[in-house]
Amino acid sequence: MGRVTERRKVLRIRDGALSTRPDTLVAEEPLEIRLNGKPLAITMRTPGDDFALAAGFLVSEGVLARASDLRNIVYCAGATGEGGANTYNVVDVQTAPGVTLPEFSLERNVYTSSSCGLCGKASLDAVRTTARWPIADTPPVRVTPELLASLPDRLRAAQRVFDRTGGLHAAALFTEDGQLLDIREDVGRHNAVDKLVGRALQSGALPLSRTVLLVSGRASFELAQKAVMAGIPVLAAVSAPSSLAVDLAAESGLTLVGFLRGSSMNVYAGEDRIALREAAAQG
């Protein structure tokens, strides 16, 4: 199994003084995801939670919706290493009998980078997968600006590997009253979200209809899509959203918050879920 971190010797320059020292880096390795034995996608990821990552990826692709859709996930032995050694960089997701696979998932066979999970998508329409749990139909969720403002510090405090490397994205799930449910780290922000969603699928927790998803970077279209596909009603990011993410949020009913820093934030869509004081709302 790959390590989450690796050590490398670096030349350190501080105020003109030179020294050498070991540095801790986040590990990045490819993971090939196969679906019922057929290659589907390759993503660059931080090793760990690979089965959850693959399961979460297939939730966002519309292949899996519940734990019973999943028969098994296995590492493929002797996938790449010399002499048939298992590098644990290939997983095969086996669906349960009777699970209907979307046509798009059968056609997809692409490379996915750690920063952009959409590379290779044929068109925008291909990723507008019909959500199994329309957010507009979920029970009402209301969160205060004060609660949202408290979440980035709690996310940062829980980032164990980031403290050692400074090179990881994180995604966390909170309840509507601010309880931390789960946090995952990865070199790719979309992988971190897939790991969260995959763990929820495996534990039978989908849809995540009363949760808030917080991501440590920007909010891309793909992250908004992953939230919608998992039934998550609120997506918050410490950085900016893309225009396409805002469009998808408005179309789907997703509450999208960006630039969540200190007590400041921008609400780009779904402001009805933000519990504002009357005076502030009128001002």
Side-chain angles (χ1 to χ4, degrees):
M1 204 40 204
R3 294 180 296 177
V4 174
T5 61
E6 296 183 5
R7 301 282 280 176
R8 296 287 190 276
K9 187 171 73 172
V10 300
L11 173 65
R12 186 177 183 180
I13 305 174
R14 295 292 185 274
D15 298 322
L18 307 182
S19 62
T20 59
R21 53 166 290 181
D23 193 24
T24 301
L25 305 177
V26 59
E28 182 177 25
E29 296 181 9
L31 179 70
E32 178 182 335
I33 300 173
R34 297 179 182 176
L35 181 59
N36 295 326
K38 297 182 179 179
L40 181 64
I42 297 175
T43 185
M44 299 302 295
R45 99 301 188 191
T46 301
D49 291 318
D50 291 336
F51 291 175
L53 190 162
F57 174 81
L58 291 174
V59 170
S60 66
E61 292 293 321
V63 176
L64 302 175
R66 55 191 63 86
S68 60
D69 291 341
L70 184 61
R71 185 176 67 182
N72 199 11
I73 305 179
V74 297
Y75 284 110
C76 297
T80 53
E82 293 183 6
N86 197 332
T87 58
Y88 297 98
N89 282 337
V90 181
V91 298
D92 185 19
V93 181
Q94 301 163 7
T95 57
V99 172
T100 301
L101 303 182
E103 182 178 349
F104 177 65
S105 71
L106 299 176
E107 297 174 351
R108 176 175 174 135
N109 187 352
V110 301
Y111 167 79
T112 300
S113 77
S114 60
S115 61
C116 174
L118 292 180
C119 302
K121 295 278 192 178
S123 67
L124 185 61
D125 289 341
V127 296
R128 293 185 184 274
T129 312
T130 301
R132 297 176 187 257
W133 306 287
I135 292 175
D137 297 341
T138 60
V141 169
R142 300 270 286 174
V143 294
T144 65
E146 293 77 15
L147 183 143
L148 289 172
S150 72
L151 301 185
D153 285 344
R154 298 182 61 192
L155 171 68
R156 178 66 182 83
Q159 285 187 257
R160 292 177 297 176
V161 181
F162 182 89
D163 285 338
R164 295 155 58 196
T165 66
L168 279 179
H169 288 287
L173 275 177
F174 296 89
T175 64
E176 58 190 305
D177 59 1
Q179 177 186 351
L180 177 62
L181 296 174
D182 198 4
I183 179 173
R184 296 293 108 187
E185 294 177 287
D186 197 277
V187 70
R189 61 176 61 85
H190 67 284
N191 289 338
V193 174
D194 279 340
K195 289 176 179 181
L196 281 179
V197 173
R199 285 163 61 91
L201 173 90
Q202 292 170 317
S203 64
L206 292 184
L208 295 165
S209 56
R210 305 200 69 90
T211 63
V212 176
L213 172 63
L214 176 64
V215 294
S216 61
R218 61 186 177 86
S220 65
F221 173 85
E222 187 188 28
L223 294 189
Q225 183 206 14
K226 290 179 184 298
V228 170
M229 291 300 293
I232 298 170
V234 182
L235 168 62
V238 300
S239 192
S242 68
S243 62
L244 218 51
V246 174
D247 290 344
L248 178 61
E251 292 175 11
S252 63
L254 174 71
T255 295
L256 179 58
V257 177
F259 291 108
L260 181 57
R261 300 169 183 175
S263 61
S264 300
M265 65 198 73
N266 293 343
V267 182
Y268 293 88
E271 58 270 13
D272 55 302
R273 292 194 183 88
I274 307 299
L276 300 172
R277 292 188 298 272
E278 288 300 320
Q282 294 172 0

